[in-house]
Amino acid sequence: MKIIRSFLAAISTYSRIPVPPFKLEEESDLILIFFPIVGIVIGAVELIWRIFCKAFPVGDIAYIIVSTVIPLLVTGGIHMDGYMDTSDALSSFGDRDKKLKILSDPVVGAFAVIRAIVLILLFLAGISGIKNNNSFYIFCLVFVLARVLSALSSFLFPIAKKTGMLYTLTRSKKRSVIACVLIIEAAAVVIIMFIITPASVFVVLSALLCLLYYYFRSKAAFGGVTGDTAGWFLCLCELLMTLVTAFLDIVS
């Protein structure tokens, strides 16, 4: 039952999907293994919405807008919240301690709003460029791969604060096993992408470059990663992979 409780905890924590009541005890350290399942749900909803739009006369604008909103509806905006907090912190001129304090500040700054709007508009542009089926299937897998990498980075990168949920999850005695499982999950997603189309290698490379940027940016600004920076990376990674997928679709 440990696995089931961890599964329910992951769904409950990282999405708005209703789950049966459960009691979580020491099994919380397994939550990140099931984090990518939320990405699978998002991809499935995107696919259902695309099928619906092909079957009924739904306009292109409605299709693109709803496709952009789906990840926010499924997750409740938890990662966008981290993206906005981190954007505010990175835009400040304070030292590392001040930046970490801004991450915990519930007040939304102007830079957070501006960058969130830019992110959403670019995501809209990316979705509008994805036309053929293979590209769309890659797009659906983007949500899974971004979450696998976000979870994996929490184990591989230094942690900025010795408090909070992320620190608790990554200090598990099973951390090596969890990291190995996440690597296997990442490999599985990448293999599926390659099977769909070899051109997806560029999408994967863009995700890895984003991961590398995340490592150096978070280490320089915060001394490591936090739950908020993990959300920031996830949003950027999803956006970058979506844009690369759209570009490959356009030039193919």
Side-chain angles (χ1 to χ4, degrees):
M1 294 299 103
K2 177 189 294 187
I3 298 298
I4 294 177
R5 285 195 293 269
S6 296
F7 168 80
L8 294 175
I11 300 300
S12 175
T13 302
Y14 296 111
S15 78
R16 291 299 182 184
I17 302 170
V19 298
F22 66 95
K23 182 179 180 181
L24 185 66
E25 298 171 348
E26 73 280 0
E27 294 85 1
S28 61
D29 55 3
L30 300 177
I31 288 178
L32 291 179
I33 289 178
F34 298 101
F35 180 33
I37 291 178
V38 177
I40 295 176
V41 173
I42 295 173
V45 176
E46 292 281 7
L47 178 59
I48 292 171
W49 172 239
R50 180 179 173 90
I51 293 172
F52 177 85
C53 290
K54 285 191 172 183
F56 298 95
V58 177
D60 290 342
I61 294 178
Y63 164 72
I64 295 169
I65 291 176
V66 173
S67 295
T68 301
V69 172
I70 284 173
L72 295 174
L73 293 178
V74 174
T75 63
I78 183 174
H79 308 301
M80 180 61 77
D81 176 70
Y83 174 81
M84 294 180 73
D85 287 341
T86 305
S87 295
D88 267 339
L90 292 174
S91 300
S92 72
F93 294 97
D95 56 17
R96 181 175 297 175
D97 289 337
K98 182 178 179 180
K99 287 184 172 69
L100 288 171
K101 186 176 180 179
I102 292 174
L103 289 180
S104 304
D105 191 343
V107 178
V108 177
F111 288 107
V113 176
I114 293 170
R115 294 191 182 188
I117 292 173
V118 171
L119 181 85
I120 292 172
L121 290 176
L122 288 175
F123 202 75
L124 281 165
I127 292 176
S128 68
I130 298 174
K131 303 296 183 181
N132 71 59
N133 289 334
N134 283 346
S135 296
F136 180 77
Y137 298 146
I138 296 299
F139 168 67
C140 290
L141 290 171
V142 157
F143 301 103
V144 185
L145 184 57
R147 280 161 177 75
V148 175
L149 294 179
S150 180
L152 189 58
S153 67
S154 300
F155 287 93
L156 300 180
F157 297 172
I159 303 295
K161 299 186 296 183
K162 294 185 178 180
T163 57
M165 182 178 179
L166 187 68
Y167 178 78
T168 301
L169 293 178
T170 55
R171 295 305 99 186
S172 166
K173 294 179 180 179
K174 309 182 188 74
R175 55 181 289 115
S176 297
V177 175
I178 296 172
C180 288
V181 173
L182 289 170
I183 291 173
I184 293 172
E185 291 176 352
V189 177
V190 170
I191 289 172
I192 294 172
M193 284 182 162
F194 286 169
I195 291 174
I196 294 173
T197 172
S200 62
V201 63
F202 296 105
V203 179
V204 175
L205 285 175
S206 70
L208 294 178
L209 287 174
C210 189
L211 185 65
L212 188 64
Y213 172 73
Y214 175 41
Y215 171 77
F216 288 108
R217 194 76 169 95
S218 61
K219 188 175 181 180
F222 307 106
V225 301
T226 70
D228 284 319
T229 64
W232 175 78
F233 162 73
L234 191 148
C235 290
L236 283 182
C237 193
E238 286 180 344
L239 173 62
L240 183 58
M241 286 193 286
T242 298
L243 292 175
V244 172
T245 301
F247 176 78
L248 293 174
D249 193 335
I250 293 171
V251 300
S252 62

